[in-house]
Amino acid sequence: MTECAVILAGGQASRMGGGDKGRLMLGDQSLIERVIDRITPQVDAVVLNANGDPSRFDDLGLPVVADSIGDFPGPLAGILAGMDWAAEQGHEWLISVAADTPSFPLDLVERLSGYDTPVVLAATPDPERGRLPQPTFGRWQVALRHDLRAALSDGVRKIRQWTQAQGETLVVFDEGDFFNINTPEDLAWAEQHLT
């Protein structure tokens, strides 16, 4: 493996009342601990993207990188932070995963890695559109970071607005593979079905 991964934990968690959503408990582990346990065996190195005081994550034993673009521009800024870190570590590819999605596939990296396009995004089946992209789960060519920085500076915020311009592949996983926890109701459902 020559992949590294960024766990995107830089959001504001407004629908959960703020704070670090990844710290919510699901069974006997926090969401972010579950994510770390799932992604670590699939890659060579993991970095956490989070804003604010990085020392609050010291117990996780991961390097922490903040967005380099202010005003919470969304997950693309976290991907850029991960790309910059990956470049410093000598990696050509970055895998992104979300801190609020505790049961993504254990073969995520393997399945995203079989394509030549500069961006490969996970998707799930959708009865109306055929494929529903899960754009925080992807494989990104680190060399794109300069183009991404320019796009963010120009105001681009939607992931697919940028990825479609780069050339992307969508890889369809099973329905439910990327259940993410945005609300207290989502957490209650996960406690019933994922623990």
Side-chain angles (χ1 to χ4, degrees), residues 47-120:
V47 66
L48 179 64
N49 163 242
N51 298 301
D53 182 1
S55 68
R56 70 189 191 277
F57 296 108
D58 283 352
D59 60 302
L60 299 176
L62 295 178
V64 180
V65 292
D67 295 349
S68 60
I69 295 178
D71 299 323
F72 297 101
L76 274 177
I79 291 163
L80 175 60
M83 284 180 168
D84 287 339
W85 181 86
E88 290 171 6
Q89 305 301 312
H91 292 282
E92 294 182 19
W93 293 92
L94 175 74
I95 301 292
S96 62
V97 298
D100 63 357
T101 306
S103 60
F104 60 86
L106 295 171
D107 62 352
L108 175 76
V109 175
E110 179 184 354
R111 292 183 58 189
L112 293 180
S113 297
Y115 301 87
D116 292 331
T117 50
V119 178
V120 183

Side-chain angles (χ1 to χ4, degrees), residues 32-47:
I32 200 163
E33 287 170 326
R34 286 173 174 259
V35 169
I36 291 168
D37 284 353
R38 289 183 93 79
I39 195 59
T40 298
Q42 300 187 52
V43 295
D44 292 323
V46 179
V47 66

